[in-house]
Amino acid sequence: MAIDKKQVEEIVRAVGGKDNIEAATHCVTRLRFALYDESKVDTQSLDQNDLVKGQFSSQGQFQVVIGPGLVDKVYDEMIQITGGERASKDDVKAVAGKKQNPLQRAIKTLSDIFIPILPAIITAGLLLGINNILTGPGIFFDGKSLVDVYPAWKDLASIINTIASTAFTFLPALIGWSAVTRFGGSPLLGIVLGLILVHPDLLSAYGYANAVNEGTVPTWNLFGWHIEKIGYQGQVLPVLVSAYLLAKLEIFLNKRVHDSIKLLVVAPVTLLITGFLAFTIIGPVTFAIANGITSGLIYIYDSYAALGGLIYGGLYALLVITGMHHTFLAVDVQLIGSQGGTFLWPMLALSNIAQGSAALAMMLVLREKKMRGLAATSSVSAFLGVTEPAIFGVNIRYRYPFIFGMVGSAIGGVLLTMNNVQATSIGVGGVPGFLSIFPNKWGVFFIGMAIVLVVPFVLTVIFGRAKLRKEDRNADQATVAGGQTSTAKSASSTTTTNAVAEQRTRSAAQVADEPVNTLEIMAPLTGTAVPLEQVPDPAFAEKQMGEGVAIEPSGNQVVAPFDAQVAHVIKSKHAVILEHASGLQILIHVGINTVSLKGEGFNMHVEAGEKVRAGQTLLEFDRKVIEAAGYPLITPIIIPDGQDMVDRVEVTTGDVTSNQNGVLKVHLKG
């Protein structure tokens, strides 16, 4: 398809002209701009441009949705017009990141560091929960643990504890690896740095307090300068700051040391300088800061427990929306490392359940079958510790279930803090969260669990049904007045197509006279099909590129949903465009923002121009790689706008198996 150069020029003008473009790139669906001043964007002009399907700003990038198959041509034309240099997605991301305020950058940095190591920490938390069951007194027998009554289980519990505690014992090595990687250094050096800080020759941080009281803290004597010879087990700040220094020092030396001697100079010098500073300056200073922060939190917890529980328990769900909840991972780890337990994690677990309960209640409120199904599935996910589907898919959309979820969570938070409920580790949130709780506090935690199950559920049902009755009365009054508002409203709430607006302009006789062929598109992935509105990306959720459906995959394989020709394969291997014999094209886009992975974790099995059969494997993806990078796996399947043969599209949601269940029914003209 030819591109109108004037329309591309209009896009450039609408974003403030070439002088306002700091960097620009594109992905499979949209142009991505880092602009000097977003206030110069003429949104009205963009809306009137036939090439533009939508627009929005996110994380410092201004994005203009063009659609698959056209965006690369528009980008090429734009580069010729502006005379600018081609930029990679990382370039634009880096420039956009500079526009975020310091708090946003700090939150994103912590998120980038802790999300990759979260699976190891959660696994350790679950195993420690099993150890708690075996060794906790009073769970099965009065005043005794299971291993006390049955000594044969003692060594099994010991092995489980050794396996479980490893991630926390060598936590600085995990953080060192992830942090140095995030700051641009060598991951291997990050691991070594972390291990240096917990070397067996050092006094364990867990024994530091006793050693101080007894006056037995070992020291190094550097020409009269006495340095405490202590490790940093369970500490976060010392390794974070040291990792930053190591990465920057390594980058500095790599640029200046000749290739022939890099192996002999860069790594040894980097580790020697960083390690020395870690033990002499960084460690002692950050150790004191970390202990000060911990002491402050504990003071608030001890002095104003109810207030702390009310605020953190009630507002945690809001932190999830802003992304700030990632910052508390570091706080939890610090509390566990220095105090042996965290009072924050139990409230997180109850917040998960509260949002799940509110979403589940919407099953009794909502009338639309597909949304009831979404409410059910997302509530189960929240009960198991993953709240995003419930929060973004249901609760935020209707607002009141989200609010009632926070109310229940706040009440539960007050109960937990007033009864000193703490977790021994970070495990899975939601209902399984009890495994991380000190066993002697399970009773209180289960009462809190009952509160967050009942309160949000009851309030949501009562308010939701009252709201529906009010809407019904208003609709009846409008109908009696002679309008047809109720009928129109009913039609708009039950349709599953984005072609309704067009159909309303045509008479029923015209529609009936048109010959229609139907193409059923099978599910290209196994999983749960959900409406596009649940996709955490405005371009897809607002259907800026076209109608479709999304699938939360349970597997790792994408297959052809019909016999087709591969029209286009995206270079980063995360998306593919197929063309049916009728000329209809569909886009399958695995994950959100997965273009940033540059093909890592994806294995494409087909090439552009290749003919494929229904059920043939198109691509495979590594779920762990995508999840570790923090990107959602939800996969949109889109019928791009601008295809004249499309009359309307019907969407089917629910559990699907690849190439066995239909998810889209496309009615073709003629």
Coordinates of all heavy atoms in Angstrom, one line a residue, residues 413-449:
G413 N -5.6 -5.0 57.5 CA -4.3 -4.5 57.8 C -4.2 -4.1 59.2 O -3.2 -4.3 59.9
V414 N -5.2 -3.4 59.7 CA -5.3 -3.0 61.1 C -5.2 -4.2 62.1 O -4.5 -4.2 63.1 CB -6.5 -2.1 61.4 CG1 -6.7 -1.9 62.9 CG2 -6.5 -0.8 60.6
L415 N -6.0 -5.2 61.7 CA -6.0 -6.4 62.6 C -4.7 -7.1 62.6 O -4.2 -7.5 63.7 CB -7.0 -7.4 62.0 CG -7.1 -8.8 62.7 CD1 -7.7 -8.7 64.1 CD2 -7.8 -9.8 61.9
L416 N -4.0 -7.2 61.5 CA -2.7 -7.8 61.4 C -1.6 -7.1 62.2 O -0.8 -7.7 63.0 CB -2.2 -8.0 60.0 CG -3.0 -8.9 59.1 CD1 -2.3 -9.2 57.8 CD2 -3.4 -10.2 59.7
T417 N -1.6 -5.8 62.0 CA -0.5 -5.0 62.7 C -0.8 -4.9 64.2 O 0.2 -4.9 65.0 CB -0.4 -3.6 62.1 OG1 -1.8 -3.0 62.2 CG2 0.1 -3.6 60.7
M418 N -2.0 -4.9 64.6 CA -2.3 -4.8 66.1 C -2.0 -6.1 66.8 O -1.8 -6.2 68.0 CB -3.8 -4.4 66.3 CG -4.1 -3.0 65.9 SD -5.7 -2.5 66.4 CE -5.6 -2.4 68.2
N419 N -1.9 -7.2 66.0 CA -1.6 -8.5 66.6 C -0.2 -9.0 66.2 O 0.1 -10.2 66.3 CB -2.6 -9.5 66.1 CG -4.0 -9.3 66.8 OD1 -4.2 -9.8 67.9 ND2 -4.9 -8.6 66.2
N420 N 0.6 -8.1 65.7 CA 2.0 -8.4 65.3 C 2.2 -9.6 64.4 O 3.0 -10.5 64.7 CB 2.8 -8.6 66.6 CG 4.3 -8.6 66.4 OD1 4.8 -8.0 65.5 ND2 5.0 -9.4 67.2
V421 N 1.4 -9.7 63.4 CA 1.5 -10.8 62.4 C 2.6 -10.4 61.4 O 2.6 -9.4 60.8 CB 0.2 -11.0 61.6 CG1 0.3 -12.0 60.6 CG2 -1.0 -11.3 62.6
Q422 N 3.6 -11.4 61.3 CA 4.7 -11.1 60.4 C 4.9 -12.4 59.6 O 4.5 -13.5 59.9 CB 6.0 -10.8 61.3 CG 5.9 -9.5 62.0 CD 7.2 -9.1 62.6 OE1 8.3 -9.3 62.0 NE2 7.2 -8.5 63.7
A423 N 5.7 -12.2 58.5 CA 6.1 -13.2 57.6 C 7.5 -13.5 57.7 O 8.3 -12.6 57.9 CB 5.7 -12.9 56.1
T424 N 7.9 -14.8 57.7 CA 9.3 -15.1 57.7 C 10.0 -15.0 56.4 O 11.3 -14.9 56.4 CB 9.5 -16.6 58.1 OG1 8.8 -17.4 57.2 CG2 8.8 -16.9 59.5
S425 N 9.2 -14.8 55.3 CA 9.8 -14.7 54.0 C 8.8 -14.1 53.0 O 7.7 -13.9 53.4 CB 10.3 -16.1 53.5 OG 9.1 -17.0 53.4
I426 N 9.3 -13.8 51.9 CA 8.4 -13.4 50.8 C 8.0 -14.6 50.0 O 8.9 -15.2 49.4 CB 9.1 -12.4 49.9 CG1 9.5 -11.1 50.7 CG2 8.2 -12.0 48.7 CD1 10.3 -10.1 49.9
G427 N 6.8 -14.9 50.0 CA 6.3 -16.1 49.2 C 5.2 -15.6 48.2 O 5.2 -14.5 47.7
V428 N 4.3 -16.5 47.9 CA 3.2 -16.2 47.0 C 2.2 -15.4 47.8 O 1.9 -15.8 49.0 CB 2.6 -17.5 46.4 CG1 1.4 -17.1 45.6 CG2 3.6 -18.2 45.6
G429 N 1.6 -14.4 47.2 CA 0.6 -13.6 47.9 C -0.7 -14.4 47.9 O -0.8 -15.5 47.5
G430 N -1.8 -13.7 48.3 CA -3.1 -14.3 48.2 C -3.3 -15.4 49.3 O -2.6 -15.4 50.3
V431 N -4.2 -16.3 49.0 CA -4.5 -17.4 50.0 C -3.2 -18.2 50.4 O -3.0 -18.5 51.5 CB -5.6 -18.3 49.4 CG1 -5.8 -19.5 50.3 CG2 -6.9 -17.5 49.2
P432 N -2.3 -18.6 49.4 CA -1.2 -19.4 49.8 C -0.2 -18.6 50.7 O 0.8 -19.1 51.2 CB -0.5 -19.7 48.5 CG -1.5 -19.6 47.4 CD -2.4 -18.5 47.9
G433 N -0.5 -17.3 50.9 CA 0.4 -16.4 51.6 C 0.6 -16.9 53.1 O 1.5 -16.5 53.8
F434 N -0.4 -17.7 53.6 CA -0.3 -18.1 55.0 C 0.9 -18.9 55.2 O 1.4 -19.0 56.4 CB -1.6 -18.9 55.4 CG -1.6 -20.3 54.9 CD1 -1.1 -21.3 55.7 CD2 -2.1 -20.7 53.7 CE1 -1.1 -22.6 55.3 CE2 -2.1 -22.0 53.3 CZ -1.6 -23.0 54.1
L435 N 1.5 -19.6 54.2 CA 2.7 -20.4 54.3 C 3.9 -19.6 54.8 O 4.8 -20.1 55.3 CB 3.0 -21.1 53.0 CG 2.0 -22.2 52.6 CD1 2.3 -22.7 51.2 CD2 2.0 -23.3 53.6
S436 N 3.9 -18.3 54.5 CA 5.0 -17.4 54.8 C 4.8 -16.8 56.2 O 5.8 -16.2 56.7 CB 5.1 -16.3 53.8 OG 5.4 -16.8 52.5
I437 N 3.7 -17.0 56.8 CA 3.4 -16.4 58.1 C 3.9 -17.2 59.2 O 3.9 -18.5 59.2 CB 1.9 -16.2 58.3 CG1 1.2 -15.4 57.1 CG2 1.6 -15.5 59.6 CD1 1.8 -14.1 56.9
F438 N 4.4 -16.6 60.3 CA 4.9 -17.3 61.5 C 3.7 -18.2 61.9 O 2.6 -17.7 62.2 CB 5.3 -16.4 62.6 CG 6.7 -15.9 62.4 CD1 6.9 -14.6 61.9 CD2 7.8 -16.6 62.8 CE1 8.2 -14.1 61.7 CE2 9.1 -16.1 62.6 CZ 9.3 -14.9 62.0
P439 N 3.9 -19.5 62.1 CA 2.7 -20.4 62.4 C 1.9 -20.0 63.6 O 0.7 -20.2 63.6 CB 3.4 -21.8 62.6 CG 4.7 -21.7 61.8 CD 5.1 -20.3 61.9
N440 N 2.5 -19.4 64.6 CA 1.8 -19.0 65.8 C 0.8 -17.9 65.6 O 0.0 -17.5 66.4 CB 2.7 -18.7 67.0 CG 3.6 -17.4 66.7 OD1 3.9 -17.2 65.5 ND2 4.0 -16.7 67.7
K441 N 0.9 -17.3 64.4 CA 0.0 -16.2 64.0 C -1.0 -16.6 62.9 O -1.7 -15.7 62.4 CB 0.8 -14.9 63.6 CG 1.7 -14.3 64.7 CD 0.8 -13.8 65.8 CE 1.7 -13.1 66.8 NZ 0.9 -12.5 67.9
W442 N -1.1 -17.8 62.6 CA -2.0 -18.3 61.6 C -3.4 -18.0 61.9 O -4.2 -17.6 61.0 CB -1.8 -19.8 61.3 CG -0.6 -20.1 60.4 CD1 0.3 -19.3 60.0 CD2 -0.3 -21.4 59.9 NE1 1.2 -19.9 59.2 CE2 0.9 -21.3 59.2 CE3 -0.8 -22.7 60.1 CZ2 1.5 -22.3 58.5 CZ3 -0.2 -23.8 59.5 CH2 0.9 -23.6 58.7
G443 N -3.8 -18.2 63.2 CA -5.2 -17.9 63.6 C -5.6 -16.5 63.3 O -6.7 -16.3 62.7
V444 N -4.8 -15.5 63.7 CA -5.1 -14.1 63.4 C -5.2 -13.9 61.9 O -6.0 -13.2 61.4 CB -4.1 -13.2 64.1 CG1 -4.4 -11.7 63.7 CG2 -4.1 -13.4 65.6
F445 N -4.2 -14.4 61.2 CA -4.1 -14.2 59.7 C -5.4 -14.8 59.0 O -5.9 -14.2 58.1 CB -2.9 -14.9 59.1 CG -2.7 -14.6 57.7 CD1 -2.2 -13.4 57.2 CD2 -3.0 -15.6 56.7 CE1 -2.0 -13.2 55.9 CE2 -2.9 -15.3 55.4 CZ -2.4 -14.1 54.9
F446 N -5.9 -15.9 59.5 CA -7.1 -16.5 58.9 C -8.3 -15.7 59.2 O -9.2 -15.6 58.4 CB -7.3 -17.9 59.4 CG -6.3 -18.9 58.8 CD1 -5.8 -19.9 59.6 CD2 -5.9 -18.8 57.5 CE1 -4.8 -20.9 59.0 CE2 -5.0 -19.7 56.9 CZ -4.5 -20.7 57.7
I447 N -8.3 -15.0 60.4 CA -9.4 -14.1 60.7 C -9.4 -12.9 59.7 O -10.4 -12.5 59.2 CB -9.4 -13.6 62.1 CG1 -9.6 -14.8 63.1 CG2 -10.4 -12.5 62.4 CD1 -9.4 -14.4 64.6
G448 N -8.1 -12.4 59.5 CA -8.0 -11.3 58.5 C -8.4 -11.7 57.1 O -9.0 -11.0 56.4
M449 N -8.1 -13.0 56.8 CA -8.5 -13.5 55.5 C -10.0 -13.5 55.3 O -10.5 -13.2 54.3 CB -7.9 -14.9 55.3 CG -8.0 -15.4 53.9 SD -7.3 -17.1 53.7 CE -5.6 -16.8 54.1

